Amino acid sequence: MRKKIYFLLFVIMLSFAAKAQRFEYQLGLKGGLGIDWPSINADDISGKENGLCYKFGLTGIYYFGENYGLTSGFNILGSNFAYKTTGIDEVTELEYSYKTTFKTTYCQVPFLLKMRTDSFNGFRVFGEIGYGLDILVSESAKIEDSKVSSGLRDVCSSFIVHLGAEMEVLSRSTLQVMLGYDSFFSNMMPYGHDPKMMMNNLCVEVGFLF
């Protein structure tokens, strides 16, 4: 009888260990498309143009509870946006107007808190919130058709929010679909540069976790 009890306890422990192993770590790929737009603090900015953005990369999640986890990894984030500057030249007193276009690529390292609901037939709703470290990989700028030096900072910070749903597929994997909002809250321009410029993007993202 005692051997049977020990055997039953052993099986239960194996079951819990298998379940913990399944949900403790997940690693996968993620990508998405969306729109982005600049946020500029300057009196002579008369218009801002949205652009297309893309995001793809590797994501990893560590679950410290059934419904709570920490998400990190890296994303390649590409953006394209523009703004229009108008004013009166102080010397000639003539009105001027020109458009500045930016194309940027950042390597983003997110640090997010993940919260999700209990599973309902393998389906869950989740949210993620946290910080992004954004490292400039490449950049270009144009004023009208002339290339200029953008002088963007090499490192920025962003605030990230995700809201989405996930479903268990292929017995051990997870398919995710989410809406992601990413807002640069540090100035993309060098210190003391005028105008101050930040960037926002809204993407539909799809991920697959193993």
Side-chain angles (χ1 to χ4, degrees), residues 42-53:
D43 295 333
D44 57 351
I45 302 301
S46 61
K48 305 169 189 177
E49 292 186 8
N50 299 346
L52 295 177
C53 67

Side-chain angles (χ1 to χ4, degrees), residues 71-123:
T71 300
S72 189
F74 72 88
N75 300 312
I76 299 300
L77 173 61
S79 296
N80 180 10
F81 55 88
Y83 64 84
K84 188 176 182 181
T85 304
T86 58
I88 303 295
D89 189 279
E90 295 181 355
V91 177
T92 63
E93 296 185 351
L94 296 176
E95 183 177 351
Y96 63 83
S97 177
Y98 59 88
K99 184 173 72 172
T100 305
T101 303
F102 289 87
K103 290 184 179 181
T104 63
T105 303
Y106 285 86
C107 179
Q108 182 183 75
V109 181
F111 301 94
L112 309 176
L113 173 64
K114 179 176 181 177
M115 299 164 284
R116 64 181 184 177
T117 63
D118 290 332
S119 177
F120 179 73
N121 292 331
F123 179 84

Side-chain angles (χ1 to χ4, degrees), residues 104-107 134-139 152-156:
T104 63
T105 303
Y106 285 86
C107 179
D134 305 291
I135 302 170
L136 185 64
V137 176
S138 65
E139 51 81 19
L152 296 178
R153 291 172 56 185
D154 291 331
V155 179
C156 291

